[in-house]
Amino acid sequence: MENIERVRCLIVGSGPAGYTAAIYASRANLNPVLYCGLLIGGQLTQTTIVENFPGYPEGVDGNQMMLDMRQQAERFGADLREGVIVKADLGKAPYTLTTDDGHVIAADTVIIATGASAKYLGLPDEEKYKGEGVSACATCDGFFYRKKTVAVVGGGDTACEEALYLAGLAKKVYMIVRKPFLRASEVMQKRVMDAENIEVLFEHNTLGLFGDNGVEGVRLVKRKGEADEQVYELPIDGFFLAIGHKPNSDVFKEWIETDEVGYIKTQGVTPKTNVPGVFAAGDVADPHYRQAITAAASGCRAAIEADRYLREQGII
């Protein structure tokens, strides 16, 4: 007979949402088990200094902040484990989830906090300069580029929003757009075109980045493959990706309602999904803000709702 572990609360994901959920669930005596996923600590471990999270007046290294959250969750008794959830059966409670090493867990409640991964161009230089001039979050890192020159890749609403945000900080903002037009809404297009320090480079593709001390410039090709193709280098200090995010929700999609992109749909301001006892927190359910502080807040809500659900069901 298959050996199945029974838990009251299973948390999937170890970013700010997952760790905060673990803190609150532990303090509520739910004895939560948390599986960290492929990237222990989440996306913040890929950045350098975090300056916009309350409680760190001098800023904090992203890895250190996530370690602080992890240790806080452990202090209250959360069972934090390495591993990835690769299969989920949310057809009936208790819900059955399987890890990458074949371990099966039956959970009375599940908190999905698997995050969303930023889409990159796939250039080796993006990895080389990650945290040293390459970013996928203008709100997170724009502060470091005050009065500097930056480039934003993308032509949709998100790219325009990022460019406009950066325009309030940077000296100059280039938008690198591979199409001969912007895909953004007319309102956003007008705002970009009206901004004095934003220049849109239409029909441009990125070939690579260069610099000895972080990003110092970008290699571009204009009208790639055409007779008048032009390759040149553009000096910049920061390179921002704004070509979208992919929510890490695939393993749950058979059971959980998502939007067309894959973000998990929640009910109103709550973290409740369409499956009773299953909650979503953090970037996997947030196409708008994607900030550590909002993720942490949603992890808190998810744990509180899990506690309420268990009490309503008479499980605790």
Side-chain angles (χ1 to χ4, degrees):
M1 183 177 176
E2 190 176 34
N3 184 24
I4 299 177
E5 179 184 9
R6 183 72 178 265
V7 302
R8 288 179 180 173
C9 179
L10 178 65
I11 302 168
V12 188
S14 60
Y19 283 153
T20 303
I23 291 167
Y24 274 78
S26 296
R27 287 170 56 84
N29 292 321
L30 302 188
N31 305 119
V33 171
L34 181 151
Y35 274 89
C36 291
L38 289 172
L39 185 60
I40 298 175
Q43 288 190 76
L44 282 182
T45 61
Q46 302 293 292
T47 187
T48 49
I49 302 299
V50 178
E51 291 196 323
N52 56 3
F53 198 92
Y56 295 99
E58 302 300 323
V60 60
D61 177 81
N63 281 282
Q64 183 60 51
M65 190 174 89
M66 298 318 300
L67 181 60
D68 290 345
M69 287 191 186
R70 179 185 178 91
Q71 291 175 342
Q72 191 171 357
E74 289 177 321
R75 175 191 165 206
F76 293 117
D79 184 353
L80 308 184
R81 305 176 182 177
E82 293 185 14
V84 181
I85 299 298
V86 296
K87 184 179 179 182
D89 183 348
L90 307 182
K92 63 177 182 179
Y95 305 113
T96 304
L97 297 96
T98 307
T99 68
D100 51 351
D101 63 0
H103 184 58
V104 180
I105 297 174
D108 295 314
T109 60
V110 179
I111 296 175
I112 303 170
T114 46
S117 301
K119 294 180 181 178
Y120 286 82
L121 298 173
L123 302 171
D125 289 339
E126 289 172 315
E127 189 64 32
K128 177 181 177 181
Y129 292 107
K130 189 175 288 185
E132 296 183 0
V134 171
S135 171
C137 180
T139 311
C140 308
D141 300 324
F143 182 79
F144 300 110
Y145 297 92
R146 289 172 298 170
K147 302 188 184 307
K148 294 185 178 182
T149 300
V150 298
V152 176
V153 181
D157 280 324
T158 298
C160 289
E161 288 174 6
E162 300 275 89
L164 287 164
Y165 177 83
L166 290 165
L169 299 166
K171 176 178 65 176
K172 177 78 174 183
V173 179
Y174 293 101
M175 287 188 70
I176 302 171
V177 183
R178 61 187 179 90
K179 302 275 189 183
F181 55 85
L182 291 173
R183 294 181 292 103
S185 61
E186 290 187 13
V187 171
M188 293 302 295
Q189 290 188 46
K190 186 176 188 308
R191 289 176 182 169
V192 164
M193 294 305 181
D194 288 347
E196 292 184 359
N197 61 337
I198 297 179
E199 181 178 345
V200 183
L201 306 175
F202 291 112
E203 297 185 90
H204 278 66
N205 285 275
T206 304
L207 297 176
L209 301 164
F210 62 89
D212 295 326
N213 299 299
V215 171
E216 296 175 2
V218 57
R219 295 185 182 90
L220 299 171
V221 55
K222 180 179 180 181
R223 290 180 56 79
K224 184 178 180 180
E226 301 297 327
D228 57 348
E229 175 181 297
Q230 178 186 359
V231 176
Y232 66 99
E233 294 181 348
L234 182 70
I236 60 170
D237 303 294
F239 185 77
F240 288 82
L241 281 301
I243 53 178
H245 285 71
K246 184 185 186 305
N248 303 317
S249 60
D250 287 353
V251 72
F252 306 104
K253 275 189 174 180
E254 181 180 351
W255 312 98
I256 300 294
E257 290 182 2
T258 66
D259 66 12
E260 65 279 2
V261 178
Y263 288 100
I264 293 176
K265 292 183 178 180
T266 54
Q267 299 175 11
V269 297
T270 77
K272 297 177 181 177
T273 70
N274 60 296
V275 178
V278 179
F279 310 94
D283 289 9
V284 73
D286 179 10
H288 302 295
Y289 301 106
R290 295 191 297 271
Q291 298 297 300
I293 190 67
T294 53
S298 67
C300 162
R301 292 198 298 269
I304 290 173
E305 290 293 348
D307 180 54
R308 288 174 178 170
Y309 173 84
L310 290 169
R311 294 182 187 282
E312 289 169 359
Q313 298 300 309
I315 297 172
I316 59 172

